[in-house]
Amino acid sequence: MEKIEVNIYNEKVGELFFQKEKNSFGFNYTNHTKPISLIMPYRQQSYIWKNKLHPIFDMNMPEGYLFEILKNYISKEYGYIDDFLLFSYLCVNIQSRLDFKSEIKKNEFFSYNLEDILQNDTKDTFTNLINTYLSKNAISGVQPKSLALLKDKESLSTKEYIIKTWGDEYEQLALNEYFCLKAIEKTGVKIPNIQLSKNNKFLVVERFNYDKKDDNFLGFEEILSLLGKNKEEKYSGSYEQIAKVIYNVSTNKLNDMRSLYKVIIMNYLLKNGDAHLKNFGILYDKDIVNIWFAPAYDVVNTCVYLFQDRPALTMFGKKLWLGKKELVKFGIENCYLSKKESTSIYEECIGSLENSILELEDYILKNKEFQNVGTKILDTWKLSLDKKSYKEIPLEIRRDWK
């Protein structure tokens, strides 16, 4: 039976094990301690999951672009691949509240200068990052991305960042996400520290799971994990479920429900069809005394690439681009807001969108290379200003799209 030691802040709390013949994953606590996950409190019995990793571990598993690279490398190196081997390979290099020891040796990593990455956003640079940090890339998401340790000359500190890039399939994805996140920030909701590279090929995102004041990693869990689900189920759920989970765990419920409500509204207004269960999360401190809604992350306008795209999850049982009436109702019924406050927050989000439209129009005038994608984004954002519901982007809007 294969095992991985699981620690909280470098103190052993249990073991993850794999019974290959049963394709069964188990976790045992080895001492009475704080939980490794909010849905896995201490108990003497094993936590057994059939055919898949426990959600708290699975949320670190790579998908898409990174998974294909890792699958090829690990299969060649070990002659086979399964979830336990892949997690064993990656987990020893994870920096978080949880840390791990497996039979695979922990790596020492070279650090790059943040400014060098921002100034040299080439394919070669991204390939070098992938090669350097391959065994550290315990991050999900299907688009090309890589973790990186970057040194900031100004603060003289080295931090973990996620470097996101794009190919021909999703043209100008870095700028797309940048403008979407900045639009959400205008509502007062926190977003990660983000920077665009010189030629807009990279979006450089600082990890937000570190508490600089206490010099400790914060606990972070995706809503998918808190629902006991794995990555294959990230599109199986509703925004009502997300609101219920956050309300149940948050220690500042009213504030977090307002923030969540703003993020959900903005995902509809910005036309992000990929706001699934992995793209909402919570953070908590060392003693799990304070639990709060995580910053908004991974927000892009997906309709500019897939005009028939719809919301990733249901609201009121439907996957439609709902308008003011339904979204205000959601705030009242699921975020526990008054009609007055729910309506006021919706209008605040519309105001943020209007300001973002003006900024984007000005940017396109000065940066013609973004005109194609930027104009499509503007078309879909302006559609949101009429506050109506839509099944998909209307033909009269997209007929001029190239």
Side-chain angles (χ1 to χ4, degrees):
M1 185 165 60
E2 302 171 85
K3 294 183 179 180
I4 295 173
E5 180 180 309
V6 181
N7 307 293
I8 297 179
Y9 300 121
N10 299 310
E11 180 182 349
K12 183 177 179 180
V13 297
E15 293 179 333
L16 171 66
F17 61 87
F18 179 47
Q19 295 174 302
K20 186 173 289 189
E21 67 280 1
K22 297 180 181 179
N23 196 22
S24 175
F25 299 86
F27 175 78
N28 288 326
Y29 280 103
T30 53
N31 62 64
H32 196 292
T33 183
K34 288 186 168 56
I36 62 168
S37 166
L38 297 184
I39 66 166
M40 293 175 66
Y42 172 83
R43 71 182 191 189
Q44 292 184 335
Q45 305 100 312
S46 298
Y47 281 93
I48 303 295
W49 284 73
K50 296 285 188 181
N51 306 317
K52 58 182 72 174
L53 279 164
H54 306 72
I56 188 64
F57 307 126
D58 181 76
M59 76 177 192
N60 295 294
M61 295 288 272
E63 305 171 272
Y65 177 86
L66 277 175
F67 174 73
E68 291 302 319
I69 294 174
L70 282 159
K71 181 178 71 173
N72 292 336
Y73 174 81
I74 292 174
S75 297
K76 183 178 180 181
E77 182 75 11
Y78 296 92
Y80 74 99
I81 187 170
D82 56 36
D83 281 356
F84 193 83
L85 176 60
L86 177 56
F87 188 70
S88 298
Y89 179 77
L90 293 169
C91 71
V92 292
N93 298 310
I94 290 175
Q95 289 184 292
S96 70
R97 173 180 180 263
L98 300 182
D99 58 275
F100 307 88
K101 293 180 182 178
S102 76
E103 294 180 359
I104 298 173
K105 186 180 178 181
K106 184 176 181 178
N107 292 46
E108 295 294 329
F109 294 97
F110 171 82
S111 299
Y112 290 85
N113 289 318
L114 172 60
E115 191 60 30
D116 290 344
I117 298 299
L118 292 171
Q119 292 298 317
N120 300 287
D121 53 353
T122 64
K123 287 184 180 180
D124 286 345
T125 297
F126 187 74
T127 299
N128 288 338
L129 290 171
I130 289 289
N131 291 334
T132 301
Y133 300 108
L134 185 61
S135 62
K136 193 176 178 62
N137 269 312
I139 49 174
S140 60
V142 298
Q143 78 179 88
K145 63 177 69 171
S146 178
L147 274 176
L149 291 173
L150 303 182
K151 291 182 289 188
D152 187 344
K153 292 180 180 178
E154 291 187 9
S155 63
L156 301 176
S157 62
T158 299
K159 304 174 186 175
E160 265 194 352
Y161 290 80
I162 298 174
I163 315 297
K164 299 183 177 185
T165 190
W166 48 272
D168 294 338
E169 186 178 6
Y170 299 114
E171 181 188 356
Q172 298 288 355
L173 190 59
L175 269 170
N176 184 335
E177 183 169 354
Y178 179 85
F179 277 108
C180 286
L181 285 174
K182 285 297 183 179
I184 290 179
E185 187 177 41
K186 288 178 174 61
T187 69
V189 172
K190 289 184 179 180
I191 66 169
N193 292 326
I194 57 175
Q195 297 182 66
L196 282 166
S197 61
K198 180 180 178 181
N199 300 301
N200 301 322
K201 293 290 186 180
F202 297 164
L203 182 67
V204 180
V205 184
E206 184 181 341
R207 298 291 296 273
F208 54 73
N209 66 332
Y210 189 74
D211 187 342
K212 298 172 186 175
K213 292 181 180 178
D214 292 341
D215 192 27
N216 263 321
F217 287 99
L218 297 165
F220 170 73
E221 297 193 49
E222 299 165 345
I223 299 304
L224 183 76
S225 172
L226 295 176
L227 287 170
K229 296 184 176 186
N230 289 61
K231 58 184 177 295
E232 295 82 6
E233 303 168 279
K234 65 184 180 181
Y235 294 109
S236 174
S238 67
Y239 295 110
E240 287 90 344
Q241 284 180 308
I242 293 174
K244 184 176 180 180
V245 169
I246 292 174
Y247 184 82
N248 286 340
V249 302
S250 170
T251 50
N252 191 344
K253 298 185 188 301
L254 184 56
N255 183 65
D256 282 345
M257 296 314 289
R258 286 171 179 151
S259 294
L260 171 66
Y261 182 48
K262 289 178 180 179
V263 173
I264 289 177
I265 291 173
M266 292 304 291
N267 272 294
Y268 274 82
L269 297 181
L270 297 170
K271 297 295 180 283
N272 176 24
D274 207 39
H276 50 66
L277 295 173
K278 285 181 71 65
N279 285 347
F280 297 83
I282 56 100
L283 293 165
Y284 45 89
D285 58 19
K286 184 176 181 180
D287 297 319
I288 320 183
V289 172
N290 297 298
I291 304 172
W292 64 96
F293 182 50
Y297 58 94
D298 287 358
V299 181
V300 299
N301 181 314
T302 59
C303 288
V304 301
Y305 310 115
L306 304 164
F307 65 81
Q308 292 180 315
D309 207 17
R310 299 181 190 178
L313 306 173
T314 62
M315 182 180 289
F316 302 120
K318 300 175 181 178
K319 289 190 177 184
L320 302 175
W321 294 115
L322 300 176
K324 179 178 179 178
K325 179 181 177 182
E326 295 87 355
L327 291 173
V328 168
K329 180 181 178 183
F330 180 86
I332 297 168
E333 295 185 358
N334 296 280
C335 299
Y336 307 101
L337 304 172
S338 67
K339 183 177 181 180
K340 180 179 179 180
E341 185 171 20
S342 184
T343 303
S344 175
I345 289 175
Y346 178 86
E347 294 298 340
E348 180 185 349
C349 290
I350 287 289
S352 297
L353 182 65
E354 289 173 333
N355 288 333
S356 298
I357 287 171
L358 293 175
E359 287 184 3
L360 185 52
E361 286 176 334
D362 183 62
Y363 184 87
I364 291 171
L365 286 174
K366 299 173 183 176
N367 299 271
K368 297 300 183 183
E369 71 279 1
F370 193 55
Q371 187 168 16
N372 181 38
V373 172
T375 300
K376 293 177 183 178
I377 292 175
L378 285 174
D379 288 343
T380 58
W381 286 3
K382 289 176 181 178
L383 181 68
S384 295
L385 295 179
D386 69 11
K387 307 179 184 181
K388 298 177 182 178
S389 296
Y390 288 90
K391 186 175 182 180
E392 59 189 40
I393 304 303
L395 177 62
E396 59 268 24
I397 288 179
R398 52 185 163 86
R399 81 173 100 208
D400 295 328
W401 289 5
K402 295 180 182 178

